[in-house]
Amino acid sequence: MLNIPTQSFPAPSSQQRVAPSGQSGRNKVALKPGHSLMDWIRFSKSGKDLTGLRGRLIEVTQEELQKHNSRDDCWTCIRGMVYNVTPYMDYHPGGEEELMKAAGIDGTDLFDQVHRWVNYESMLKECLVGRMATKATTAIKGTHKANSIVVIICCWYRYDWFQTDLSVHLMVYTKRKVITHILKNKIVWLVKLREMFLVGQLFYLIKQNLQNHHLTHQWLVLKILFFSTVHTAFSVGKIQVSIRKQVKGKWASFGEPLEFHNTFIHQKDRVAHYRDCVLLSKIVVNHNTLVFRLQPPHGTVMQMPVGKHVYLKAHVQDTEIVRPYTPVDQTLAAASHHSSQESDLYLMIKVYPDGIFTQYLNNLQTGDRISVSGPEGSFSIRLLRDVTYLYLLAAGTGFTPMARVIRLATQDIDTIRKTKLLFFNRREEDILWRPELDELAANNERFQVEYVLSEPCESWAGRKGQVDELMLQDFINKPDGSKCYVCVCGPTAFTELTIRLLKQQGFSEEELHVFQG
C-alpha cells in the first residue's frame, strides 16, 4: 500500500520540482512548438503505430521490460500495464528527464508522486504494449505492509452513535486533543453514508449502508440525509455528524458496514474521488480572470482547509484532462466563521487564449457540471505556529493560495504581528483583487501589500522589474526575537529564483513553503 521509491522523483535538479525537499511540484517545462497537449491528442489519434507491435498486445516479463530503457526505446509499467512512452517524450510537460526515471522499470510509485490524478490510460492508450507478467510474491509483500500500518494506526480512533426520536448522531473520537486538518465529506447515494476525516497525512473512513428495516421507502432515507450537519470539538478531538430524521421514530440499527468501513489510508494511496459539482456563477475579476462558484451535490459537505488545492477533471476531445486549482473565499474579507453547511467552492481561474482546459471552463454555462476532487497539498496551519512575521511572495495566479492565508493570518492567528504580500504581475490591469487588498491594508495595520510590475505604464509609481536580491532584502526584515515564515507561489522560474535568493539570505527550508499550484 505504501511503496516508497528508493530514488527521488522528480530529480532534485528537475524543473518539475519547484518546492523544497519534502514537497512535490506540479510545474511544467517549456515544450517545443507543435508539442502541446492538443498536438499529442491529434498525433495519438493519427493511426500511427506508437508501440512498434502493429496493434498486438503482449505479456511483458521483467527481463523484457528492463531491455527498453533508452531515450529511443523507452517502456514503463504503471499499475501492471506496460506502455511504450518513446513517442510521448517530446510531449511530456515534465520533460524527458522525468520519463527516463521510469525507463525499463515499474514506474507506478514515481508516477503517483506527481501525476497520479492524471488519466494515463486515456493519455497513453495508443502506447499500450500489454500487461506485465507479475509475480505473486509482490502482492503478498504489499499486503503485509498494509496490514502492519493498519495495526499501528487503528488505536487512534473509535466511533459510536446514538439517537433520539428526531435525530441520529455519529460520533468519531480521536486521542489527539488538537486536530489540525479535518476534511468532512458527507456523500450520499440513496442509502449510503461515506464519511472521510483527514488528520495529518491520514484519512479515516466510515462507510455505512443506512437502510433501516423500519423504513419501507428508500426515498425517505434520502430525504433524511439532506438535513445533516457536521460539528467538531478541537480541544477534545471529537467530530459529530448529526442527521435529522424526516420520520419520527427509533432506528433498529445504524446500518450495515460497507467495503473499507472503519479503516485508514494514507493520502497518497487513496483512490481519487470526484464529485460532479454544478456551476452556479462566473464572476469577472479582471480582463482575463474569473471566479467560478461550484456547488457540490446535494447531501455533500466539502470543507477545504487553507492552502489546499483541488483537481478539476473533464473530457475534452475524447481525452480526459485534469488540472489543479486553489479555492479562494468568496471575498478577501470573508468571515472566518462560515456556516458548517457553506461548502460552495470558489475557484479563481485565469483564462488563456490558447488554454485547452481554461477555454473549456470558460465555455461552461450556469447549471453545467464539472468533476471536482477532494483537497490536496502539503500546507498545514501548524507551519504558522508561533510565527510573528509572515511574508507572502506571489506572481500572477500564484496569488490564489495566498488569499485564504491572508484571511487566516489577519483574522484567526493573533500571534502574527505582520503579514506582508509582495505581488508580482506584468501590467497594472493584471493585479487580482487589488481593490480588496488595498482596502484590507488601509483598515488593518497588521497587513501590508506592495505590487511589482514587469511592464508598467509611465504613470506607475510602485515597484518595477522582477524579483531580485535587493528587492527581497528591502521587503523582508527579521526583527530580533521574531519568528519569520515565507510562502511562495508562482511560475516555475519565479519560484526557483525566489527560493534560491531566500536561502542566500539565511532562510532555512523549515522557514519556507512553496504552494503546489
Side-chain angles (χ1 to χ4, degrees):
M1 191 181 217
L2 297 177
N3 296 317
I4 308 300
T6 57
Q7 56 186 351
S8 175
F9 181 85
S13 60
S14 168
Q15 295 186 53
Q16 198 166 346
R17 179 183 293 274
V18 298
S21 178
Q23 302 174 16
S24 58
R26 292 195 324 274
N27 296 273
K28 302 178 180 180
V29 300
L31 296 174
K32 301 175 183 177
H35 288 79
S36 67
L37 173 60
M38 288 309 302
D39 291 320
W40 168 252
I41 293 174
R42 284 190 289 267
F43 178 66
S44 64
K45 294 180 179 179
S46 65
K48 295 183 178 180
D49 179 13
L50 302 186
T51 65
L53 300 175
R54 299 181 180 180
R56 293 184 299 112
L57 293 178
I58 64 174
E59 186 175 72
V60 183
T61 64
Q62 186 71 32
E63 293 72 21
E64 180 65 24
L65 177 64
Q66 293 174 352
K67 296 177 182 177
H68 303 272
N69 61 1
S70 66
R71 167 63 177 82
D72 298 323
D73 181 18
C74 183
W75 290 11
T76 190
C77 175
I78 305 177
R79 293 186 177 86
M81 306 304 291
V82 178
Y83 298 88
N84 181 356
V85 295
T86 311
Y88 186 56
M89 283 285 180
D90 293 332
Y91 296 87
H92 184 234
E96 172 187 328
E97 178 184 1
E98 307 307 334
L99 281 182
M100 288 304 298
K101 288 292 182 181
I105 63 173
D106 188 328
T108 303
D109 291 320
L110 307 181
F111 175 88
D112 283 348
Q113 289 192 29
V114 179
H115 301 297
R116 73 185 186 90
W117 299 102
V118 176
N119 189 339
Y120 62 91
E121 295 170 308
S122 175
M123 292 287 294
L124 301 175
K125 59 185 177 182
E126 301 301 329
C127 299
L128 180 62
V129 172
R131 185 180 298 277
M132 191 72 188
T134 57
K135 297 180 180 179
T137 53
T138 302
I140 295 174
K141 182 178 180 181
T143 302
H144 286 314
K145 286 185 177 181
N147 286 341
S148 64
I149 291 171
V150 171
V151 170
I152 293 171
I153 296 173
C154 277
C155 62
W156 287 10
Y157 293 77
R158 67 181 180 87
Y159 79 96
D160 200 355
W161 73 286
F162 68 91
Q163 64 174 315
T164 67
D165 286 341
L166 298 177
S167 60
V168 176
H169 305 274
L170 171 66
M171 315 293 291
V172 179
Y173 304 93
T174 81
K175 292 187 177 181
R176 294 185 176 186
K177 290 186 178 180
V178 178
I179 305 173
T180 55
H181 286 166
I182 303 180
L183 167 66
K184 297 147 291 194
N185 289 347
K186 199 158 42 275
I187 305 162
V188 181
W189 303 285
L190 288 181
V191 293
K192 295 180 181 178
L193 173 71
R194 180 179 186 269
E195 293 286 347
M196 181 180 294
F197 306 95
L198 170 61
V199 179
Q201 298 298 314
L202 297 163
F203 279 102
Y204 174 56
L205 304 179
I206 292 180
K207 299 179 70 176
Q208 293 273 149
N209 187 326
L210 298 185
Q211 186 171 5
N212 190 281
H213 298 298
H214 292 283
L215 300 175
T216 56
H217 301 291
Q218 289 187 355
W219 66 270
L220 290 177
V221 181
L222 181 61
K223 276 192 174 182
I224 287 172
L225 296 177
F226 283 171
F227 296 91
S228 52
T229 58
V230 180
H231 303 280
T232 59
F234 293 95
S235 60
V236 296
K238 183 180 73 173
I239 307 165
Q240 176 177 318
V241 180
S242 300
I243 302 171
R244 179 180 171 185
K245 295 179 180 178
Q246 190 82 349
V247 178
K248 184 178 180 180
K250 291 293 181 67
W251 286 15
S253 65
F254 186 65
E256 297 296 327
L258 300 172
E259 187 178 11
F260 304 119
H261 170 66
N262 196 24
T263 58
F264 292 83
I265 189 170
H266 199 279
Q267 282 195 69
K268 82 178 190 67
D269 293 317
R270 79 189 190 282
V271 176
H273 185 84
Y274 285 86
R275 304 152 190 85
D276 286 334
C277 295
V278 177
L279 176 63
L280 296 183
S281 64
K282 291 188 289 187
I283 304 170
V284 175
V285 179
N286 64 11
H287 63 98
N288 62 4
T289 304
L290 304 169
V291 170
F292 292 73
R293 182 178 183 179
L294 304 177
Q295 181 185 63
H298 289 298
T300 300
V301 174
M302 295 176 61
Q303 296 185 340
M304 294 292 149
V306 173
K308 303 294 185 179
H309 58 268
V310 298
Y311 289 87
L312 302 188
K313 178 176 69 174
H315 283 84
V316 181
Q317 296 190 13
D318 298 326
T319 298
E320 185 178 277
I321 301 178
V322 179
R323 292 289 185 269
Y325 296 100
T326 303
V328 297
D329 289 323
Q330 187 173 8
T331 65
L332 188 63
S336 60
H337 50 277
H338 288 301
S339 166
S340 61
Q341 301 309 297
E342 174 58 53
S343 60
D344 289 349
L345 291 180
Y346 297 86
L347 301 177
M348 185 180 289
I349 298 175
K350 181 178 180 179
V351 178
Y352 296 90
D354 57 348
I356 300 171
F357 199 74
T358 57
Q359 286 296 332
Y360 170 85
L361 294 176
N362 193 39
N363 290 329
L364 291 177
Q365 302 298 314
T366 301
D368 288 344
R369 296 179 181 274
I370 182 75
S371 293
V372 183
S373 78
E376 290 294 317
S378 60
F379 183 79
S380 167
I381 60 175
R382 287 188 298 176
L383 298 172
L384 303 182
R385 182 184 301 166
D386 301 327
V387 168
T388 53
Y389 287 82
L390 176 63
Y391 297 97
L392 309 175
L393 309 177
T397 52
F399 165 74
T400 54
M402 307 300 185
R404 297 188 69 199
V405 173
I406 291 171
R407 185 202 55 74
L408 177 73
T410 56
Q411 293 188 25
D412 296 343
I413 304 181
D414 295 334
T415 57
I416 297 180
R417 302 174 194 168
K418 195 78 171 182
T419 299
K420 297 179 65 176
L421 170 67
L422 191 60
F423 196 0
F424 295 80
N425 287 276
R426 292 180 61 191
R427 296 180 292 270
E428 195 169 356
E429 59 266 30
D430 295 326
I431 301 174
L432 302 172
W433 272 357
R434 184 180 182 185
E436 293 194 285
L437 290 168
D438 289 342
E439 181 180 2
L440 179 62
N443 297 329
N444 192 324
E445 61 181 11
R446 295 170 57 208
F447 176 71
Q448 178 181 331
V449 59
E450 294 187 47
Y451 307 106
V452 184
L453 300 183
S454 60
E455 298 178 11
C457 61
E458 293 183 0
S459 60
W460 177 253
R463 292 181 184 266
K464 304 174 184 178
Q466 298 180 344
V467 63
D468 59 30
E469 182 179 2
L470 293 178
M471 186 182 297
L472 293 183
Q473 288 178 348
D474 181 57
F475 181 75
I476 297 177
N477 58 77
K478 302 176 71 173
D480 293 339
S482 65
K483 181 177 179 180
C484 299
Y485 197 78
V486 185
C487 296
V488 181
C489 189
T492 304
F494 167 83
T495 302
E496 291 184 337
L497 175 58
T498 303
I499 291 297
R500 185 166 66 251
L501 293 174
L502 289 170
K503 288 183 177 180
Q504 289 175 0
Q505 291 188 16
F507 282 93
S508 66
E509 290 191 356
E510 289 71 28
E511 297 174 303
L512 304 172
H513 180 83
V514 174
F515 281 104
Q516 304 175 35

